[in-house]
Amino acid sequence: MGSFLNKTMVFILTSMLLLACIILIPDFLVKKFSKFNIDKGYKIVLFGHSHSECAFNDSLISGFKNLSHSAEPYFYTYQKVKKVISQNNQVETILIEFSNNQIDEKMDEWTWGYKYMSNMFPQYASFMDAADLELLFNKNPKDFINCVSILARQNIFRVVTLNYSFSGSIGGYLKVNNPKPLELNNKGLPIVRDTASGRTVLSITNLNYLRKIVDYCRQKNKKVFLVRSPQHIGYEYMKNEKVFMAIKKTYFQDVDFLDFNNFPLKDDEFADLGHLNFKGASKFSDYVNRMISSGILEPGKKQVLINTTLPKKMYFKPVVNNSN
Amino acid sequence: MLFNSVSFAIFLPVVFILYWLIFNRNLQLQNFLLLCASYFFYACWDWRFLFLLVFSTLLDYFTGLKMTESENQKSRSFWLWLSILINLGFLGVFKYYNFFAGSFTQMFSNFGLNVNPWTLKVILPVGISFYTFHGLSYVIDIYKRRIKAERNFIDYSLFVSFFPLLVAGPIERATHLLPQIKKVRVFNYHNAANGLRQILWGLFKKIVIADQCAEFANTIFANSASYSGSTLVLGAIFFTFQIYCDFSGYSDIALGVARLFGIELLRNFAFPYFSRDVAEFWRRWHISLSTWFRDYLYVPLGGSKGGTWLKVRNTFIIFLVSGFWHGANWTFIIWGFLNALFIMPSIIFKTNRNNLEIVAKGKSLPTLSEFLHILLTFCMVVFAWIFFRANNVTHAFNYLGRIFSRSLFSIPSFDVNRPQLLETIALIVFFIVIEWNGRENQYAIETLTKLKSRNYRLAFYYALVLIAFLFAGKEQQFIYFQF
């Protein structure tokens, strides 16, 4: 019995040691050699989730790179921002998508729910600090351990194939051709699926990490803007608009907010209530390109632009909270 | 509590240590500990169904005692049928009631009659099909005077509820397990090490092969209407490996865990995909269920003693019942029927006992003829699994319809992570090689005869641990838990 227990313990300990090696060695190599380089011509970089991923066609906006990624909460964006900024000195301006669903508690599920974590964690875990790892472990220890195995597998694959470049997998413009028309009810109104009581429960973690992103960018002397992509008037999360604006005002008063929520788009320019299709994205991106060329991102010029360069008949007005 | 969960990884060593180090001086205490552990294990799913398990145990315990005490044949028959009816009644209510209600509603609606029978909103108690069959075999064996009723309630309860086999078998027999429960068990190093090895292999099969294949099989079966015939064939093959590695992986873990406590359970799988005909396949697949049906249904029906046509009738009956045992869905019944059809030629031409030994025994490779027979049997098995996996009969026929179309000859393609697909295929090939090399053992890695040095064998075990860790995703439930 003693011999059995001893040998079993030795086997288990050796296995754990080997597991530690296959986790930590590739992790170290990925941390050291990872590449997040983007073309030197890109001075403006956008981060966010699927709203901005579908809205900003960066091939139509000069000097602009869209690094948004579907279902990406700020927790993972923060890791990405750190790497992109540290490896791309040419970047001067950081835009961060800030829209209604990003304050919702659903973002917690996006951060540590298995479905989302198993997708995002292996990509960015090597760049997380101890506090970030601890947060995920505390929130969902069981799935965290499972995700570590996926991380190890992906890192080993990177090391074996000597592929340390993350550039192809950290986001980009997503073209949506809109295979079906926007769902409308018989009165021509959008079908809103949300039947919740209207109570808004916040994702404190997501908001904390947005703050961390802003602070990190400031620390690195980058200009930071929060951006809201166009959303359909019937978008379910518009219900939390008051809370959303209150949060913006209370916690992000110091950050410029480019609000394109009401940008005029027709129903056939939406892929769904929260996302633009290719047609909508083209129209919107073309507008953004003109705005940037006109200097909307330059301090002091924003209000002048709104007053003078926008067509008078245009009912959309980008809301700019100038804190400078 | 799943075998492939962190909680089980804590539960097992705790019970093991208590069993061998604290309770080792007294057999009754050891059995009591195992019984408590088994009830705890079961209660982790849903403690409310523990009452059903205890009731079923009490029922068979008392009817068994009554049968033994009674000399009157009529009275013995009464107690036997009471037990059978109540046991099957529970099974019928929990597992089949909604199926029958739905089928009758459908049938009446075909004649233009609208009936709305009650449907039950209850979940299926985990393992009910398994422990019901444990109990039934016990009372039938007493009735047939093969065994005497067990008077020690703890020992009997442990026979029904022993945690490794409680939720998905193997379906044990009182003649095999009860004597082991009543015998003093002495720790045996080699048995325990063998148990750990079998657990490792079971985990590898479940985590690495079954769960990886499940991802592809689920994707393809869920979107079968949009895939080519060749892709659907690939989906069926993935499911074929998934179900084997899932269920035999579970059985390996169950057998290995039982070995750690000094108990030998019935073997459930014997490399079925290396079978040369369907009759051999059924001697190697879910052996404890096949032999249960043979002993308690096929033989009482007359077995193979009454000529070919009686044999044919009985074979159809046991395969249809076996299909129905798996679940309340017509797909399982058709799956059973197909297997009966496939086995028919060998029954009619009396070739069903041609291949009793494992293929190519003592050789490295099979002959061409053996290989072609294995391939043909495998194709038939894959065909039948489509019905087993499909959501309903229409889905199965649509799936088959798309397979037998021109697109069968196109290159398989589906939305998938390509490196992951290649990894999975490589792992399946690795798995087949290991299974082939170990096919003369009880399980593939029981003796690694090709690896002479102890260090190589250790390296192999470490490699299995590492691979299992790397492929561990979210804990997936075992398929047979639903039965």
Side-chain angles (χ1 to χ4, degrees):
Chain A
M1 182 69 182
S3 163
F4 175 79
L5 287 178
N6 284 342
K7 285 184 178 175
T8 307
M9 282 309 292
V10 169
F11 185 82
I12 291 171
L13 290 175
T14 313
S15 299
M16 288 171 81
L17 195 68
L18 286 170
L19 288 177
C21 290
I22 64 162
I23 295 168
L24 297 176
I25 295 171
D27 183 70
F28 171 77
L29 293 170
V30 168
K31 204 175 287 180
K32 191 167 170 63
F33 298 112
S34 60
K35 291 189 186 106
F36 281 78
N37 304 76
I38 56 172
D39 196 281
K40 294 287 175 205
Y42 295 125
K43 306 256 190 258
I44 307 161
V45 181
L46 167 72
F47 296 94
H49 61 1
S50 57
H51 287 200
S52 47
E53 184 185 30
C54 297
F56 292 82
N57 181 349
D58 50 11
S59 66
L60 302 176
I61 309 170
S62 66
F64 183 100
K65 182 68 183 168
N66 185 348
L67 289 180
S68 308
H69 193 288
S70 301
E72 184 180 278
Y74 292 130
F75 178 84
Y76 299 104
T77 306
Y78 173 60
Q79 321 301 335
K80 186 159 76 176
V81 166
K82 284 192 292 184
K83 294 305 287 186
V84 170
I85 289 183
S86 66
Q87 294 188 12
N88 297 277
N89 290 330
Q90 82 280 10
V91 174
E92 294 166 357
T93 307
I94 304 293
L95 308 184
I96 305 156
E97 172 76 13
F98 181 56
S99 55
N100 298 64
N101 68 348
Q102 283 167 305
I103 63 167
D104 191 86
E105 65 170 347
K106 186 175 82 168
M107 292 299 119
D108 290 344
E109 175 66 18
W110 284 23
T111 307
W112 53 75
Y114 179 76
K115 185 181 161 191
Y116 299 95
M117 184 163 65
S118 62
N119 192 27
M120 286 290 171
F121 177 81
Q123 175 96 333
Y124 298 111
S126 301
F127 320 115
M128 291 177 190
D129 53 36
D132 299 332
L133 295 170
E134 197 183 333
L135 173 90
L136 292 182
F137 181 78
N138 288 338
K139 294 291 184 185
N140 188 355
K142 204 164 138 188
D143 289 335
F144 177 82
I145 294 166
N146 293 330
C147 288
V148 171
S149 73
I150 303 173
L151 161 76
R153 203 162 100 205
Q154 287 196 8
N155 280 350
I156 289 172
F157 190 75
R158 281 190 188 280
V159 171
V160 169
T161 56
L162 293 174
N163 177 13
Y164 294 104
S165 173
F166 283 73
S167 302
S169 58
I170 53 172
Y173 167 63
L174 178 68
K175 180 181 172 182
V176 184
N177 280 321
N178 204 15
K180 54 180 183 180
L182 203 62
E183 286 180 63
L184 301 171
N185 64 23
N186 55 10
K187 289 177 184 166
L189 297 170
I191 293 167
V192 180
R193 291 189 179 79
D194 186 32
T195 53
S197 60
R199 190 173 64 101
T200 302
V201 186
L202 303 177
S203 169
I204 302 300
T205 305
N206 211 40
L207 294 171
N208 280 341
Y209 273 86
L210 177 58
R211 189 71 245 174
K212 279 190 170 193
I213 295 171
V214 170
D215 292 347
Y216 182 83
C217 293
R218 292 260 167 82
Q219 192 190 327
K220 297 288 173 184
N221 298 318
K222 308 292 177 189
K223 282 187 282 183
V224 194
F225 293 85
L226 299 182
V227 183
R228 181 156 65 162
S229 306
Q231 300 172 122
H232 196 281
I233 193 166
Y235 182 53
E236 61 196 76
Y237 284 98
M238 288 304 293
K239 282 180 181 176
N240 69 15
E241 181 67 7
K242 275 186 185 168
V243 181
F244 176 79
M245 280 302 174
I247 286 172
K248 165 70 191 75
K249 198 175 170 187
T250 314
Y251 299 105
F252 300 100
Q253 179 76 29
D254 58 329
V255 192
D256 287 340
F257 184 40
L258 304 177
D259 190 358
F260 299 109
N261 186 43
N262 299 321
F263 183 79
L265 288 166
K266 294 174 188 151
D267 283 349
D268 68 350
E269 289 164 330
F270 282 92
D272 60 34
L273 300 176
H275 304 93
L276 306 194
N277 63 17
F278 179 63
K279 193 177 166 190
S282 301
K283 185 174 170 183
F284 174 64
S285 302
D286 186 51
Y287 169 76
V288 170
N289 186 41
R290 278 186 283 120
M291 285 293 101
I292 291 173
S293 308
S294 309
I296 197 168
L297 302 178
E298 296 300 322
K301 287 183 81 177
K302 291 181 284 286
Q303 202 58 46
V304 180
L305 258 175
I306 291 167
N307 295 341
T308 59
T309 61
L310 286 179
K312 285 206 166 81
K313 278 186 182 176
M314 195 167 180
Y315 61 84
F316 157 72
K317 285 181 185 172
V319 180
V320 181
N321 293 337
N322 192 350
S323 58
N324 295 328
Chain B
M1 197 188 303
L2 297 172
F3 280 170
N4 52 333
S5 66
V6 176
S7 45
F8 188 74
I10 297 165
F11 168 82
L12 181 61
V14 169
V15 180
F16 180 83
I17 298 287
L18 290 174
Y19 182 83
W20 287 116
L21 297 183
I22 314 288
F23 292 78
N24 60 329
R25 289 172 199 278
N26 186 321
L27 177 66
Q28 273 310 295
L29 279 179
Q30 278 187 320
N31 287 348
F32 184 67
L33 169 75
L34 285 183
L35 182 64
C36 292
S38 300
Y39 283 162
F40 174 77
F41 178 82
Y42 193 75
C44 285
W45 268 288
D46 196 326
W47 61 269
R48 289 167 301 178
F49 288 125
L50 203 53
F51 294 108
L52 193 65
L53 174 64
V54 173
F55 178 80
S56 173
T57 307
L58 281 168
L59 172 77
D60 295 330
Y61 175 73
F62 282 112
T63 49
L65 282 178
K66 288 286 176 194
M67 270 192 281
T68 300
E69 285 164 7
S70 173
E71 288 306 316
N72 180 343
Q73 189 58 27
K74 265 192 179 172
S75 162
R76 288 169 62 80
S77 296
F78 168 78
W79 291 113
L80 171 73
W81 282 105
L82 182 74
S83 168
I84 290 176
L85 287 175
I86 295 177
N87 271 310
L88 293 183
F90 276 129
L91 200 58
V93 168
F94 282 103
K95 192 165 176 178
Y96 299 108
Y97 175 79
N98 285 349
F99 168 74
F100 282 120
S103 296
F104 277 118
T105 309
Q106 181 66 41
M107 193 177 76
F108 279 110
S109 73
N110 289 343
F111 293 108
L113 296 168
N114 265 340
V115 287
N116 291 309
W118 283 352
T119 50
L120 298 175
K121 285 180 182 150
V122 288
I123 53 165
L124 183 67
V126 175
I128 189 169
S129 306
F130 291 92
Y131 66 71
T132 300
F133 271 43
H134 279 148
L136 286 178
S137 76
Y138 172 75
V139 289
I140 294 170
D141 281 350
I142 293 173
Y143 181 77
K144 294 273 183 189
R145 298 184 196 278
R146 290 179 192 134
I147 52 167
K148 284 194 171 165
E150 175 55 54
R151 291 189 177 277
N152 186 319
F153 183 67
I154 290 175
D155 290 356
Y156 175 72
S157 304
L158 182 58
F159 156 70
V160 177
S161 321
F162 184 38
F163 72 89
L165 52 78
L166 180 55
V167 291
I171 299 168
E172 269 294 339
R173 307 294 180 80
T175 46
H176 181 250
L177 186 56
L178 264 175
Q180 294 187 67
I181 288 174
K182 299 199 73 66
K183 199 174 147 194
V184 173
R185 296 177 286 275
V186 180
F187 182 80
N188 179 304
Y189 174 87
H190 292 288
N191 266 348
N194 199 14
L196 280 185
R197 208 178 296 126
Q198 193 161 8
I199 292 171
L200 176 62
W201 186 237
L203 284 173
F204 176 84
K205 282 203 251 185
K206 167 63 181 162
I207 295 170
V208 178
I209 308 292
D211 289 352
Q212 298 302 309
C213 287
E215 213 167 296
F216 299 118
N218 291 345
T219 306
I220 294 172
F221 271 88
N223 307 294
S224 57
S226 53
Y227 289 131
S228 66
S230 55
T231 310
L232 298 188
V233 169
L234 197 64
I237 292 172
F238 276 128
F239 179 70
T240 301
F241 282 102
Q242 180 200 347
I243 191 157
Y244 171 56
C245 291
D246 190 285
F247 192 21
S248 72
Y250 177 90
S251 296
D252 279 335
I253 300 169
L255 266 74
V257 169
R259 277 202 177 113
L260 289 178
F261 297 99
I263 290 172
E264 286 287 325
L265 298 182
L266 288 171
R267 190 184 186 190
N268 224 10
F269 290 87
F271 310 99
Y273 290 159
F274 298 142
S275 302
R276 286 150 289 182
D277 57 47
V278 176
E280 187 188 4
F281 174 82
W282 278 104
R283 278 194 298 276
R284 297 180 176 281
W285 179 274
H286 203 173
I287 301 166
S288 66
L289 181 70
S290 309
T291 52
W292 198 100
F293 279 124
R294 183 196 64 199
D295 295 345
Y296 298 105
L297 190 62
Y298 185 74
V299 172
L301 284 170
S304 47
K305 286 180 181 164
T308 307
W309 293 111
L310 191 71
K311 226 158 108 177
V312 168
R313 185 201 72 175
N314 294 344
T315 305
F316 267 105
I317 289 173
I318 63 160
F319 273 102
L320 289 175
V321 173
S322 168
F324 198 50
W325 176 89
H326 280 86
N329 194 327
W330 287 103
T331 51
F332 294 119
I333 296 170
I334 294 176
W335 169 77
F337 178 77
L338 275 176
N339 276 290
L341 271 188
F342 292 155
I343 212 170
M344 262 320 117
S346 61
I347 300 277
I348 292 168
F349 298 111
K350 297 187 169 65
T351 57
N352 56 320
R353 297 187 67 79
N354 273 7
N355 299 311
L356 296 177
E357 288 277 10
I358 188 74
V359 65
K361 193 172 182 188
K363 296 178 196 162
S364 297
L365 292 169
T367 62
L368 182 63
S369 160
E370 284 171 337
F371 175 74
L372 291 175
H373 277 98
I374 290 171
L375 198 63
L376 180 66
T377 308
F378 183 78
C379 290
M380 289 197 281
V381 170
V382 171
F383 183 87
W385 283 136
I386 292 172
F387 282 90
F388 194 95
R389 173 62 180 78
N391 300 333
N392 50 52
V393 179
T394 315
H395 182 208
F397 279 111
N398 288 340
Y399 196 100
L400 284 170
R402 288 191 71 84
I403 286 183
F404 295 108
S405 65
R406 265 191 210 166
S407 63
L408 178 61
F409 303 102
S410 61
I411 295 168
S413 67
F414 58 112
D415 304 327
V416 68
N417 179 340
R418 213 171 177 76
Q420 197 191 341
L421 177 67
L422 295 176
E423 276 168 7
T424 306
I425 291 170
L427 287 166
I428 291 174
V429 172
F430 170 76
F431 167 72
I432 293 171
V433 170
I434 302 294
E435 285 264 298
W436 178 262
N437 279 320
R439 71 192 182 284
E440 290 176 32
N441 299 322
Q442 289 286 307
Y443 61 95
I445 64 164
E446 188 181 21
T447 54
L448 291 167
T449 46
K450 305 268 176 195
L451 302 174
K452 303 277 183 220
S453 155
R454 183 176 170 275
N455 289 340
Y456 286 151
R457 286 198 298 275
L458 265 179
F460 179 79
Y461 301 140
Y462 285 126
L464 288 185
V465 172
L466 295 187
I467 294 172
F469 170 77
L470 289 175
F471 284 88
K474 194 172 177 63
E475 288 161 12
Q476 303 285 342
Q477 200 165 14
F478 288 89
I479 293 176
Y480 265 67
F481 281 15
Q482 64 184 297
F483 305 138

